[in-house]
Amino acid sequence: MKLSEKELEIIEILEKDARTPIDVLAKMIDLPVEETEALVRKLEEAKVIVQYTALIDWRKADGREGVTAMIDVKVTPKRGVGFDEVAERIYRFPEVKSVYLMSGAYDLSVVIEGRSMAEIAQFVSEKLSTLDSVISTTTHFILKKYKHDGIVFDQGDQDRRIVVSP
Amino acid sequence: MKPQTRKTYVSKTVAGLKPSGIRRFFDLASSMDGVISLGVGEPDFVTSWSIREASILSLEQGYTSYTANAGLLELRQEIAAYLRRKFHVDYCPETEILVTVGASQAIDLALRAIINPGDEVIIVEPSFVAYEPLVVLAGGKPVAVCTSGEDKFQLNPVHLERAITERTKAVIICSPNNPTGTVQSRTELEAIARLAEAHDLLVIADEIYAELTYEGEYTSMAAVSGMRERTILISGFSKGFAMTGWRLGFAAAPDEILQAMLKIHQYAMMCAPTMAQYGALEALRSGERDVAEMRNSYRRRRNYFVASLNEIGLPCHLPGGAFYAFPSIKPTGLTSEQFAERLLIEEKVAVVPGNVFGQSGEGYIRCSYASSLEQLQEAIKRMKRFLARL
């Protein structure tokens, strides 16, 4: 889908801050509000804008810290459907946050979020490893998130500039 | 025996200089809490990590000694390549480029290198606060040529010609302009060029904001036909590369002038800080993507902020560059000082009164939109409330 310059501007702005009010967005891209709204709707319908999400630092919510693991999965691709079928069987589990087909030492990279290490261990041993095409899994637990999706966690954003300068 | 009265030790020239009007607002604003500052003349981005990292590496490797007076040759070569790539002007890195401590020092050097006592220097107003005092300190006489909001602060060549006398040595232009954000069009630059040729004048072209031009290709004064030989091109890393605190600028000029500037620089400054020069080298080599991203971000904020100013009743032209909006406050009937002071005290929004940039800035305020979108939205809300009360 070929996007216009204004459409590209919209998705760049919304990717940084999905909560940018429509009237502000309209001024930023220099279009009337109605026209901007129509463009946003079009981008949503075309699934260029897939969803609006919030980036949460769960460590700050007591009792909800959770555990994230990245699992390297080796699989046997199936004739005709390659890796797609097994990938789909994996990504349908609600615990699975993302699935990528990788080049290199393993085939699928699966990111899982759970309440505890035990929960993730259970998922890997009971759900993932038992899938027909899965040959092996290697689980890496994430110990601390420093940067996620381009955003640095706990970054001081205070303005260090003096109040008035030449 | 002690003399009856103590003589003043300060030179008459310095004693006669007015303190910067910006300073007064700084003192007032910094004594208050919860101020939204639109008074800053610098990017709200931190210098790109790759630049900071290159500078740290230079320290780790022990590059802590002086560089050549004119700056690292490697950096001057990069600057020459950058000027050729971006603005289509050719300078010899060995003899025509000088690395300075900020663009301000480059302007000071340019003026000191060319002015004989009493020479007149034309300053296009509203203008950056340092031009006038620097001309005076160099022994020259500043002559203001005003531009007006009605012309979107474009310089009218007729007004310029009227100000030229036998003693006129140079014209200082700044494009995009601080404080108006106006970019001089190619046609205007050509008109200035013809006058410079006809009257044998130099042009000091302050192009520090060139990277922050939003529409069309930027035209450097030095790239206008016949002007390379009579232009002192001033630029630096502060604005485009978000490196204000690094104090690193440069000048490019014909051999004879540049060498005269170098002579002063070598006695007064020796050389620009070495670690900053290594950072600048990296900025020119890999900074383009970051600059483009920052420019895009400023452009969007400009669009929002200027449209909002017009909406709340502060008429403002759409500035073509830099990160300043320069709206008229004439509809309020207040002077720019009164407006800025009351806005600061009553609504805690800091802006700079236009009159500190020269007489033609009266009736305007300078608002920097190099602040987060949230801050700009809040500032607009407060300004609207303030205007409703007047």
Side-chain angles (χ1 to χ4, degrees):
Chain A
M1 176 176 176
K2 178 115 180 83
L3 299 186
S4 70
E5 218 165 278
K6 297 284 184 196
E7 287 167 335
L8 283 170
E9 291 244 37
I10 289 175
I11 54 179
E12 276 177 35
I13 294 167
L14 291 182
E15 189 180 29
K16 284 204 181 91
D17 183 4
R19 280 166 52 100
T20 309
I22 197 80
D23 58 319
V24 173
L25 182 63
K27 279 181 190 158
M28 287 172 91
I29 63 165
D30 194 23
L31 276 186
V33 173
E34 302 73 40
E35 225 171 292
T36 310
E37 238 165 354
L39 286 180
V40 172
R41 212 172 314 120
K42 181 183 151 198
L43 289 163
E44 288 168 355
E45 280 161 11
K47 291 278 176 204
V48 175
I49 297 174
V50 185
Q51 200 174 1
Y52 299 97
T53 63
L55 180 60
I56 309 294
D57 189 351
W58 282 107
R59 288 172 311 168
K60 291 184 177 152
D62 280 347
R64 292 290 303 271
E65 294 88 347
V67 179
T68 307
M70 299 175 78
I71 304 165
D72 312 340
V73 186
K74 281 188 189 164
V75 300
T76 320
K78 278 196 181 158
R79 188 186 290 261
V81 290
F83 294 99
D84 295 353
E85 192 189 79
V86 62
E88 187 177 337
R89 291 194 68 180
I90 294 173
Y91 71 59
R92 287 192 183 283
F93 287 108
E95 302 82 333
V96 174
K97 294 298 162 192
S98 54
V99 177
Y100 309 107
L101 179 63
M102 309 294 287
S103 67
Y106 55 94
D107 306 303
L108 296 173
S109 174
V110 178
V111 178
I112 301 205
E113 279 179 18
R115 272 185 295 239
S116 62
M117 278 167 85
E119 194 177 286
I120 286 180
Q122 193 181 7
F123 176 82
V124 174
S125 61
E126 290 178 12
K127 303 277 171 43
L128 199 55
S129 308
T130 53
L131 288 174
D132 267 356
S133 326
V134 170
I135 303 165
S136 73
T137 61
T138 310
T139 304
H140 312 275
F141 286 102
I142 289 178
L143 302 181
K144 185 173 177 180
K145 276 186 194 167
Y146 293 101
K147 188 178 183 180
H148 182 83
D149 274 354
I151 308 291
V152 176
F153 280 64
D154 279 336
Q155 183 173 243
D157 55 357
Q158 80 273 29
D159 198 337
R160 292 188 181 84
R161 298 174 299 172
I162 54 177
V163 202
V164 175
S165 68
Chain B
M1 208 175 90
K2 279 186 186 169
Q4 289 294 306
T5 50
R6 215 191 75 175
K7 65 181 180 238
T8 171
Y9 295 115
V10 176
S11 88
K12 282 185 189 138
T13 314
V14 175
L17 289 182
K18 279 185 303 199
S20 162
I22 285 188
R23 190 75 224 169
R24 198 175 79 79
F25 260 81
F26 168 72
D27 291 338
L28 190 59
S30 47
S31 66
M32 297 166 64
D33 284 331
V35 171
I36 291 187
S37 180
L38 307 181
V40 278
E42 59 181 322
D44 61 334
F45 295 98
V46 176
T47 311
S48 304
W49 175 243
S50 65
I51 298 173
R52 286 186 275 159
E53 214 278 333
S55 183
I56 294 167
L57 181 68
S58 80
L59 289 177
E60 281 177 351
Q61 290 178 332
Y63 292 124
T64 56
S65 38
Y66 296 126
T67 67
N69 293 130
L72 288 165
L73 180 59
E74 230 181 326
L75 176 56
R76 284 179 280 147
Q77 284 164 340
E78 270 314 322
I79 292 170
Y82 167 78
L83 292 175
R84 197 175 311 122
R85 184 170 76 231
K86 280 258 159 184
F87 310 121
H88 319 295
V89 283
D90 260 299
Y91 286 98
C92 166
E94 279 85 8
T95 58
E96 297 185 316
I97 289 174
L98 171 63
V99 178
T100 58
V101 181
S104 299
Q105 193 220 349
I107 295 162
D108 185 32
L109 290 176
L111 291 166
R112 287 205 274 162
I114 63 167
I115 288 178
N116 290 311
D119 280 351
E120 292 175 1
V121 175
I122 294 176
I123 298 170
V124 180
E125 274 191 6
S127 70
F128 174 48
V129 292
Y131 298 150
E132 188 188 312
L134 289 179
V135 169
V136 172
L137 284 170
K141 187 179 161 220
V143 175
V145 170
C146 297
T147 59
S148 79
E150 288 73 45
D151 303 331
K152 297 178 179 169
F153 299 101
Q154 289 281 346
L155 173 62
N156 184 335
V158 178
H159 296 171
L160 175 61
E161 186 158 29
R162 241 181 259 148
I164 297 171
T165 71
E166 285 288 287
R167 300 218 56 116
T168 308
K169 188 69 176 271
V171 183
I172 306 180
I173 57 168
C174 175
S175 173
N177 179 279
N178 173 7
T180 65
T182 294
V183 180
Q184 294 296 333
S185 69
R186 190 168 188 115
T187 323
E188 250 81 32
L189 291 179
E190 274 164 1
I192 299 167
R194 298 298 77 84
L195 286 174
E197 279 180 327
H199 299 272
D200 195 16
L201 306 178
L202 281 168
V203 173
I204 298 176
D206 183 349
E207 304 188 349
I208 186 80
Y209 291 98
E211 282 285 5
L212 306 180
T213 307
Y214 303 118
E215 270 89 30
E217 199 184 335
Y218 181 78
T219 306
S220 169
M221 193 53 170
V224 173
S225 103
M227 286 309 287
R228 188 193 175 285
E229 291 316 307
R230 49 179 73 252
T231 299
I232 305 177
L233 191 165
I234 310 279
S235 192
F237 298 86
S238 292
K239 314 293 182 175
F241 295 92
M243 294 172 69
T244 50
W246 299 63
R247 306 316 304 126
L248 211 69
F250 60 86
D255 192 350
E256 183 199 3
I257 299 171
L258 201 281
Q259 292 308 311
M261 291 168 67
L262 175 60
K263 226 190 266 182
I264 310 169
H265 176 74
Q266 72 190 4
Y267 294 127
M269 209 57 77
M270 200 78 79
C271 68
T274 304
M275 62 191 120
Q277 293 192 51
Y278 279 102
L281 197 53
E282 176 64 20
L284 293 178
R285 285 178 178 163
S286 74
E288 200 151 337
R289 212 183 68 179
D290 288 329
V291 172
E293 239 174 68
M294 292 191 272
R295 182 170 46 233
N296 255 337
S297 168
Y298 291 133
R299 181 173 50 80
R300 290 171 188 149
R301 285 184 269 172
R302 171 200 66 165
N303 289 350
Y304 164 72
F305 192 66
V306 173
S308 302
L309 285 173
N310 281 304
E311 224 169 69
I312 63 172
L314 295 179
C316 186
H317 71 285
L318 189 70
F323 35 60
Y324 307 113
F326 203 61
S328 166
I329 48 117
K330 288 173 187 167
T332 67
L334 299 174
T335 67
S336 53
E337 289 251 359
Q338 288 167 339
F339 185 97
E341 197 161 335
R342 282 188 57 185
L343 181 64
L344 178 61
I345 291 165
E346 294 173 30
E347 289 290 348
K348 295 192 172 180
V349 176
V351 299
V352 183
N355 69 328
V356 311
F357 306 102
Q359 189 198 323
S360 54
E362 182 50 57
Y364 296 86
I365 50 168
R366 189 191 76 175
C367 310
S368 158
Y369 49 82
S371 281
S372 71
L373 191 62
E374 293 72 42
Q375 294 261 299
L376 294 177
Q377 284 174 258
E378 178 61 25
I380 287 287
K381 209 168 92 189
R382 295 185 189 187
M383 287 164 95
K384 189 177 174 185
R385 202 160 56 200
F386 174 68
L387 289 167
R389 259 203 320 274
L390 288 179

